[in-house]
Amino acid sequence: MRSVLTKRAISRTLAAAVLLAFHKPYGVLSQFTPDGSRHRPLADFEFPRGVYPLGRLDAESEGLLLLSDEAELNAQLLHPTRGHRRTYWTQVERVPAREALAELERGVVIAGRKTLPCRAWLLDPQPDMPARVPPIRFRKNVPEAWIALELVEGKNHQVRRMTAAVGHPTLRLVRVKIGGFELGTLASGTWRALSDGERAALFSAR
């Protein structure tokens, strides 16, 4: 009975909430107030009043950031016990071998803690991503590759620390999916409201 009530409560919350998808560019904070750095705050992007980010992406990361006026959605979407998956595309130095990807999937120790099991795979075909501003560092003699990581947790700088732990430093990081909702073709620096079907999709991929 509790799970049914929880689903009903989630449905009511989703129906009433403002829920926005934002393609956060590189160099943008996941907060509305400046922090004294060179990074831009969310206030620069003309969001409706009363919304705030659900979770965060660090300033050097790009991609899908959700914003809402409903605090309950933060725990429902992002707490590890809820099992909601987040998918990241990460450009790394060198092409990871199958063994390195398997190590990521089993979990690696970062800051004295082993990460939860996840999915990791080499993107095939490699994505044709728009150039980042500013561009990533380029080393002529070091190949690069895009891999995907699907996680159910989001510790500070976790993806970067995970790829570094298996010998493949992250050059660029883009979150492309939360739950069953994908960033898709939403242009960098733009945002839009989610449809009813897209709201439901957030909770469809556990």
Side-chain angles (χ1 to χ4, degrees):
M1 179 64 71
R2 178 173 297 178
S3 62
V4 173
L5 291 174
T6 299
K7 290 179 181 178
R8 289 176 180 170
I10 290 171
S11 296
R12 289 195 297 268
T13 301
L14 277 172
V18 174
L19 191 54
L20 309 175
F22 176 49
H23 186 157
K24 191 187 83 64
Y26 179 91
V28 172
L29 302 167
S30 293
Q31 62 188 52
F32 280 88
T33 54
D35 66 352
S37 72
R38 66 184 185 281
H39 301 309
R40 300 170 64 192
L42 293 176
D44 286 2
F45 295 89
E46 300 183 350
F47 290 102
R49 293 186 65 179
V51 300
Y52 57 90
L54 302 178
R56 65 184 299 277
L57 285 172
D58 62 60
E60 290 74 27
S61 298
E62 308 162 65
L64 179 58
L65 181 68
L66 298 173
L67 296 98
S68 179
D69 62 349
E70 177 51 63
E72 177 63 19
L73 292 180
N74 194 71
Q76 293 290 348
L77 277 171
L78 301 176
H79 196 279
T81 59
R82 299 291 180 178
H84 278 89
R85 305 181 193 281
R86 280 93 81 187
T87 303
Y88 300 83
W89 287 359
T90 178
Q91 188 177 21
V92 297
E93 289 186 355
R94 299 179 299 280
V95 180
R98 184 177 301 175
E99 293 76 13
L101 297 174
E103 187 176 354
L104 289 170
E105 291 191 324
R106 290 191 298 269
V108 296
V109 177
I110 53 177
R113 177 188 170 278
K114 189 173 183 180
T115 58
L116 295 176
C118 68
R119 290 184 61 215
W121 65 97
L122 183 69
L123 289 170
D124 184 18
Q126 291 279 282
D128 184 17
M129 299 290 286
R132 195 190 74 182
V133 180
I136 65 167
R137 68 178 186 272
F138 175 74
R139 292 196 290 172
K140 184 176 180 180
N141 297 322
V142 179
E144 301 151 2
W146 284 92
I147 65 173
L149 287 171
E150 185 183 79
L151 312 178
V152 294
E153 59 180 341
K155 303 296 184 183
N156 192 34
H157 301 298
Q158 179 165 336
V159 172
R160 298 177 190 278
R161 292 178 175 183
M162 289 177 69
T163 64
V166 297
H168 295 276
T170 288
L171 301 172
R172 187 177 179 187
L173 180 60
V174 184
R175 183 160 63 191
V176 297
K177 189 175 181 180
I178 298 176
F181 178 76
E182 297 188 35
L183 179 65
T185 58
L186 186 63
S188 180
T190 65
W191 59 268
R192 66 174 179 83
L194 274 66
S195 68
D196 291 344
E198 290 170 337
R199 290 165 182 252
L202 285 172
F203 293 90
S204 67
R206 293 194 178 194

